[in-house]
Amino acid sequence: GYKKGTVLAGEVRVYNDEGKIRSVHTYINNEENGYCATFYDNGQIELCGNKKSGEKDGEWKEYNSDGKLLNTKKYINGEVQD
């Protein structure tokens, strides 16, 4: 990603002190829009899904540290759907 002035845009990756990825967030005009994920220290995905206007939107998946799917939740504008 990049920053133009104070505005974030594109994919922003955060790494820990050992250089392993901790999170990925996609920004448009300083707001989270698109794919987002957090990772365990071993590199496995912990949580992933999409955001729209900074809110969870669509299907979000949560995994354990071995990569096994724990649950899936559907969101619309940040609100979990039953």
Side-chain angles (χ1 to χ4, degrees):
Y2 64 92
K3 198 172 192 181
K4 185 175 182 179
T6 59
V7 178
L8 285 171
E11 186 178 273
V12 175
R13 294 175 180 234
V14 176
Y15 296 88
N16 66 15
D17 291 338
E18 290 81 39
K20 294 181 181 177
I21 193 157
R22 294 296 296 147
S23 65
V24 174
H25 300 272
T26 306
Y27 289 87
I28 298 174
N29 293 324
N30 224 31
E31 191 169 60
E32 286 182 296
N33 278 287
Y35 182 74
C36 295
T38 57
F39 297 84
Y40 289 102
D41 287 335
N42 67 2
Q44 292 286 340
I45 291 178
E46 179 178 9
L47 183 67
C48 66
N50 286 296
K51 287 196 174 181
K52 181 178 174 184
S53 300
E55 300 288 341
K56 289 180 179 178
D57 197 67
E59 190 174 87
W60 277 74
K61 295 181 178 183
E62 182 180 12
Y63 299 88
N64 70 13
S65 60
D66 293 324
K68 181 180 176 188
L69 181 64
L70 297 175
N71 68 57
T72 301
K73 292 182 181 178
K74 176 133 176 136
Y75 290 84
I76 297 176
N77 297 324
E79 303 231 355
V80 70
Q81 305 298 299
D82 294 324

